[in-house]
Amino acid sequence: MFKGFTRFLQGPGERLKSLFDPQAVPVVSSGPRLISREDHPVSRQHFSDAALKVLYRLHNAGHQAFLVGGCIRDSLLGRMPKDFDVATDATPEQIRELFRNSRIIGRRFRIVHVRFGREVIEVTTFRGKPGDDHSDHIAQQSDAGLLLRDNVWGNLEEDALRRDFTINALYYNIADYSIHDFAEGIEDIEARTLRLIGDPATRYREDPVRMLRAVRFAAKLDFDLDVATEAPILEQAPLLLQIPPARLFDEILKLFMTGHGVASFHLLCDFGLFAMLFPEADEAMNELPWTERLVELALESTDRRIREERPVTPAFLFAALLWGPVQQRQAILEGDGMPPVPALQAASQQVISRQLQHISIPKRFSMPMRDIWDLQHRLPLRRGRRVFQTREHPRFRAAYDLLLLREAAGELAPGLGDWWTAFQEADEHEQRRLLGKVGADPAGSGASRKRRRRRRKPRSPSSET
Ligand code: ATP
Ligand code: MG
């Protein structure tokens, strides 16, 4: 199997030394490579007990067992792996028999989840080429080349070649701690290049989500896309419209809520992918200059919070992402004579139902998102008991954060955010003083609303103040 294997020849790939054994001379190779334990830095200490348990139990039962994908890629890059994917020649049924704490999931792509407390190890049977249909575990492809099902079992090498990127096709063998590289993934890790295995256009047609994965890994790892991998994306971006909204929601969380949201966002926009995911937000960005800045600021804040290990919620991020379209629609409805509060509610409803056609946002996030929007209308009303009710609202903090971003993005003139900052920090006496100040300040009181409403009727979609 490893006849193309060339072990540590002298050659131009000098930089490989930094990744592997400092004594070793780098490999120059094409074709499969095997890197033995003493020549690579990946160690069992990088892996969780659960992952090791799964590997050893498969191995002891006579099966092949490898760690593959993100955990090996990240270990090679000196990052702590966060989840573990196992590849094996055992079938899902055989895996199920070995692990009581496991279940088979997925139809399109059957895998086994082995659970240890909160940790889940994903165990996948080697896949073959979709055409090699020698069992009842079939693969299906649509006329357009989309892989509808991929359950044809294969061997290790075939499994490697059906994976997406070369850097994700590195296998760590529990039998001898070696790494198998079938697709020159080591070179690409060294060159910090993201390269699809096979013909990129075909691979994106098989599974358009690979375009989002390309962006995600480029953003997360700060890698460049190989020219051929990058080339078809702009044209093939509309293929994303075929992907079920629930799958896209999961991908959005990985793009935006894992610490590299700003970089992901810029790449999505550059490749025309953002418009396929959030068409209304994309349109709003073309018409209202502050909307793009608002999204950037929300993502910057999310990235920062993740770095600081503070909690983040998709509700806040989606509230910021879709606020532009909500404001556009609200302005239209108000222009037709609807008062601001019902206009905001109707606009929210419309934007959510349009967005759900692309990305399914679970109710547990869309409900608080609507609260955050409703509160944008209540925040300028700073009189009497209302202020305390607003302050006590469970989404007040998120709504206040969105208000600050709206000011920072240039949608609103600054002022209201500072007022709420002061109010939250104030003691009772100071709060009374702040409330009194609002009474004397028409810009902040409910009394000015009528005037503002008339002013914004023509077309300005921005709200309040
Ligand atoms: P991370 O878990 O850090 O986000 P990962 O590379 O492990 O990154 P997973 O989604 O966990 O990503 O997938 C595990 C592996 O399965 C990948 O590394 C890749 O080899 C393969 N894989 C996942 N999704 C696809 C896909 N759409 N097409 C081809 N191979 C895929
Ligand atoms: Mg993974």
Side-chain angles (χ1 to χ4, degrees):
M1 189 187 294
F2 301 110
K3 51 182 183 301
F5 163 57
T6 322
R7 193 169 181 278
F8 299 132
L9 300 173
Q10 195 106 34
E14 279 295 313
R15 287 186 308 129
L16 273 172
K17 275 187 197 164
S18 57
L19 260 183
F20 297 91
D21 177 6
Q23 302 304 313
V25 180
V27 182
V28 186
S29 78
S30 59
R33 267 174 59 191
L34 186 66
I35 302 139
S36 56
R37 170 65 196 101
E38 58 278 16
D39 297 328
H40 67 72
V42 177
S43 138
R44 273 167 296 165
Q45 284 166 7
H46 302 153
F47 309 141
S48 71
D49 291 344
L52 291 170
K53 227 182 248 177
V54 171
L55 290 168
Y56 278 120
R57 195 172 302 170
L58 285 165
H59 176 69
N60 292 337
H63 298 292
Q64 296 179 56
F66 297 85
L67 276 174
V68 61
C71 57
I72 302 306
R73 175 195 72 218
D74 290 351
S75 302
L76 284 169
L77 287 165
R79 294 161 165 256
M80 213 50 196
K82 63 170 180 41
D83 62 31
F84 297 94
D85 302 295
V86 170
T88 177
D89 58 357
T91 63
E93 290 72 20
Q94 289 171 325
I95 303 165
R96 273 279 297 131
E97 270 170 34
L98 284 173
F99 301 97
R100 281 206 358 254
N101 48 335
S102 68
R103 62 195 188 103
I104 300 177
I105 62 154
R107 252 176 73 79
R108 197 183 69 86
F109 197 87
R110 288 173 77 214
I111 59 177
V112 183
H113 274 180
V114 186
R115 183 175 285 282
F116 297 86
R118 293 179 62 179
E119 189 174 355
V120 174
I121 307 295
E122 269 189 24
V123 187
T124 310
T125 307
F126 294 150
R127 260 38 177 201
K129 286 197 284 297
D132 298 351
D133 196 354
H134 37 54
S135 72
D136 57 345
H137 304 288
I138 53 165
Q140 281 180 5
Q141 220 158 354
S142 74
D143 294 342
L146 182 75
L147 260 184
L148 301 174
R149 242 169 154 193
D150 183 4
N151 290 317
V152 178
W153 311 146
N155 62 28
L156 176 61
E157 179 153 13
E158 287 167 335
D159 190 72
L161 299 181
R162 64 92 193 164
R163 288 184 182 267
D164 49 5
F165 299 97
T166 60
I167 60 168
N168 286 346
L170 296 163
Y171 292 72
Y172 174 90
N173 190 353
I174 200 64
D176 61 4
Y177 315 127
S178 62
I179 290 180
H180 296 240
D181 176 5
F182 291 93
E184 299 182 24
I186 297 287
E187 274 86 344
D188 284 338
I189 284 197
E190 258 298 296
R192 303 186 76 81
T193 299
L194 207 58
R195 189 191 314 274
L196 267 175
I197 298 171
D199 170 54
T202 310
R203 302 303 314 275
Y204 291 138
R205 259 197 307 279
E206 279 174 6
D207 182 4
V209 169
R210 289 174 186 150
M211 294 185 277
L212 298 182
R213 291 176 60 85
V215 162
R216 172 152 71 89
F217 295 126
K220 168 177 161 169
L221 307 171
D222 194 21
F223 273 33
D224 288 326
L225 264 69
D226 162 64
V227 179
T229 295
E230 180 178 317
I233 299 184
L234 258 182
E235 201 186 311
Q236 290 189 307
L239 295 177
L240 278 178
L241 301 173
Q242 309 167 3
I243 303 300
R247 187 169 175 215
L248 289 183
F249 178 74
D250 294 342
E251 288 301 320
I252 292 300
L253 293 191
K254 291 186 208 162
L255 280 159
F256 288 160
M257 312 261 327
T258 55
H260 46 82
V262 175
S264 295
F265 172 63
H266 288 147
L267 287 170
L268 288 175
C269 291
D270 292 349
F271 288 124
L273 295 165
F274 185 78
M276 302 301 144
L277 301 168
F278 297 96
E280 295 214 336
D282 187 66
E283 276 166 39
M285 280 182 201
N286 293 329
E287 286 173 33
L288 306 172
W290 54 262
T291 45
E292 181 167 355
R293 189 67 196 128
L294 180 69
V295 173
E296 274 175 347
L297 288 171
L299 288 164
E300 272 171 25
S301 143
T302 305
D303 288 350
R304 190 167 49 244
R305 291 178 74 101
I306 289 169
R307 267 198 309 280
E308 294 166 358
E309 297 184 4
R310 289 157 67 201
V312 288
T313 164
F316 177 75
L317 190 62
F318 275 90
L321 270 162
L322 298 175
W323 178 246
V326 168
Q327 286 299 274
Q328 273 185 318
R329 282 182 180 263
Q330 184 183 347
I332 293 168
L333 294 168
E334 283 191 45
D336 292 343
M338 202 184 269
V341 174
L344 172 62
Q345 281 165 357
S348 305
Q349 186 56 52
Q350 290 171 8
V351 167
I352 291 176
S353 45
R354 279 286 313 269
Q355 186 58 49
L356 289 178
Q357 294 168 11
H358 297 271
I359 295 173
S360 58
I361 310 171
K363 276 235 159 54
R364 66 180 186 283
F365 301 127
S366 63
M367 307 271 276
M369 174 173 84
R370 288 194 68 153
D371 287 344
I372 294 169
W373 289 340
D374 285 346
L375 280 163
Q376 298 309 305
H377 178 78
R378 279 168 57 176
L379 286 168
L381 312 178
R382 289 168 290 156
R383 282 203 151 169
R385 282 213 327 264
R386 236 180 217 283
V387 176
F388 295 94
Q389 285 165 359
T390 302
R391 174 74 186 85
E392 291 310 311
H393 193 288
R395 310 284 167 227
F396 166 78
R397 187 67 208 194
Y400 159 75
D401 284 342
L402 182 61
L403 172 70
L404 293 182
L405 297 191
R406 292 171 64 202
E407 290 186 352
E411 177 197 355
L412 303 176
L416 187 56
D418 282 347
W419 188 91
W420 275 106
T421 307
F423 187 79
Q424 290 173 78
E425 288 163 2
D427 57 20
E428 226 174 285
H429 172 76
E430 176 63 10
Q431 284 185 340
R432 267 202 302 277
R433 197 189 65 78
L434 283 163
L435 285 169
K437 221 173 126 192
V438 174
D441 162 22
S445 75
S448 67
R449 263 192 302 152
K450 261 190 201 148
R451 216 186 47 195
R452 279 200 308 278
R453 227 175 80 198
R454 242 181 278 124
R455 217 178 36 218
R456 52 185 299 191
K457 246 184 183 174
R459 227 208 107 104
S460 158
S462 63
S463 81
E464 312 294 4
T465 50

